[in-house]
Structure formats: structure tokens, C-alpha cells
Amino acid sequence: MSTSTYSNLLTEIQYLMGNRTDIQAQIPGYVSRAESEIYTSMRVNPMEATYSQTLTSTVQTFSLSVLTGFVALKTLRIPNQTGIIQLYKDSEWIYENYAQGVVANALPQWFGYDANSLVFGPTPDQDYPFAGTYYKRLDGLSLTNQTNWLTDYFGELILYGSLMKGFEATRDNATMLSDYRALFSEQVKRCKKYYEAQQTGGSVTVGTCR
């Protein structure tokens, strides 16, 4: 079994799905949907990216669309004289307590999510730099992007995820779908364990995720 490149992955998926010619053109879509599932299921080091942006004076929201491949926020820091602010609140709570134009503007002390934006309270009374770390979706596998951290380290994760998506699409083999869902779930757990061990100094070999 070889999943070291995107092309090899496509070949392996087609073989494990019975070398069916009627689904060959759909296999890249299975891989893409598997990648989306992985980024939804996991928050691991390869997905982390830093950002540095500016809150605009009197503007209560900040669009997350400027953060490439945004999946989820990890940290948010607004430096000030007394320390670092990174306090989360529900956006409805912020709107209720810091309605723009009703409460005096000040240094933001809370942030929350509102659709694809961050919302801050109080509304900034001036421009404020802010920075932190977020989880991002990396460039997807394709014929022109043959490898990424999935093919390099966790080939079985992307393989089983793609097969799971494939049998979800064909709807013609409930047993195989159940098997690959279970295998995918196990690989997600193993890979999470690997990165958790990295952060805590534990010992888990990469091979358990291959």
C-alpha cells in the first residue's frame, strides 16, 4: 500500500474500491471531502499558523476571511499596558452588553464569533494591533500538489477517510462503509495522540499513524 503521493493515493483508492471505472473521475472528490473531514475532526500542530492584524477604531467586527484557510481560532492577544486579553464570550452576550453606539468605546476585553467574523466588546476606541494563532486548512492534495503532511506522515488517515467518503457516495456497500468509518476514526485518535505526546514530551512513534 503506497500513499506517499497524491497519484499513488488515487491508485490505491481505486484498487480498494474494486477498480471500478465508473467512479474513477469521482475519486479526487473523495480525497477532497476526506481532507475537509480531517480538518473538521482535528486540531494539530501542522494546522497552526500565526496572524497579526489590526482592529479598526469604532468597528466592532473583524472578518475571518482574511485568514487563509481559516478553520478555528486558537489564541487571540490584544497587548496593552496591563497584560494580554484573550477572553471569549458568546457573541450575543457581547452585542447585548456592548451594543455599538450605545456603550462608550474602549479597549476590547471580550471576543466571540458571529458567522465568519469576530465580534469585540467594547467596540475599539482606536486602532489596536492584535495577534495570535489559528488552525488552518492546508493546501489540498492535487496533481500539482502531490504531497502534504497527510501523505508524508499519516497516509492511512487520508486513505481511510477517502474510502469512507467514497462508499458514502456510492451507497452500495454498507459493510465497507462501516469498516472504513471505524478505521478512519481510529486513525484520527492515533494522530491526535501523536501530537498530544509531542506537546507534553511523551513518546509516540509516527509509525502508529501510517
Side-chain angles (χ1 to χ4, degrees):
M1 178 174 64
S2 175
T3 55
S4 59
T5 67
Y6 178 70
S7 294
N8 288 343
L9 177 64
L10 297 182
T11 300
E12 191 67 23
I13 294 167
Q14 185 172 7
Y15 170 74
L16 291 172
M17 294 190 72
N19 284 322
R20 293 171 50 176
T21 57
D22 61 315
I23 64 169
Q24 186 173 4
Q26 309 305 317
I27 293 176
Y30 303 160
V31 176
S32 179
R33 289 195 288 275
E35 288 182 292
S36 295
E37 182 82 9
I38 288 167
Y39 293 128
T40 299
S41 304
M42 301 177 66
R43 301 287 183 268
V44 293
N45 294 9
M47 295 171 62
E48 291 184 12
T50 58
Y51 65 90
S52 179
Q53 299 290 332
T54 300
L55 293 177
T56 303
S57 176
T58 72
V59 178
Q60 193 172 19
T61 60
F62 174 83
S63 175
L64 292 167
S65 63
V66 302
L67 302 182
T68 303
F70 179 85
V71 174
L73 205 63
K74 183 178 182 181
T75 62
L76 185 152
R77 303 183 299 276
I78 303 177
N80 64 26
Q81 295 83 356
T82 60
I84 299 298
I85 296 174
Q86 51 179 11
L87 301 177
Y88 173 79
K89 282 286 187 181
D90 182 84
S91 60
E92 292 184 4
W93 182 92
I94 295 175
Y95 283 131
E96 180 178 347
N97 288 273
Y98 297 101
Q100 190 164 354
V102 176
V103 180
N105 295 347
L107 174 71
Q109 299 185 47
W110 311 94
F111 77 94
Y113 292 101
D114 185 6
N116 195 39
S117 295
L118 296 177
V119 56
F120 293 88
T123 300
D125 59 345
Q126 63 184 58
D127 288 356
Y128 287 103
F130 72 104
T133 305
Y134 72 103
Y135 294 104
K136 65 178 291 186
R137 178 189 173 110
L138 304 186
D139 291 340
L141 291 167
S142 68
L143 292 176
T144 57
N145 185 42
Q146 287 279 330
T147 62
N148 62 16
W149 69 281
L150 292 169
T151 54
D152 289 344
Y153 299 105
F154 306 123
E156 289 185 2
L157 176 63
I158 185 61
L159 174 63
Y160 295 150
S162 300
L163 288 164
M164 176 182 70
K165 293 302 178 182
F167 284 108
E168 284 178 354
T170 59
R171 301 181 181 179
D172 57 5
N173 195 322
T175 299
M176 296 300 288
L177 174 57
S178 177
D179 288 347
Y180 283 121
R181 277 178 174 166
L183 288 167
F184 175 74
S185 179
E186 181 61 27
Q187 288 299 315
V188 168
K189 291 177 183 177
R190 288 183 176 181
C191 291
K192 284 180 178 179
K193 184 177 180 181
Y194 170 73
Y195 281 109
E196 287 169 359
Q198 277 195 330
Q199 293 177 338
T200 60
S203 178
V204 177
T205 61
V206 176
T208 61
C209 295
R210 288 189 167 214

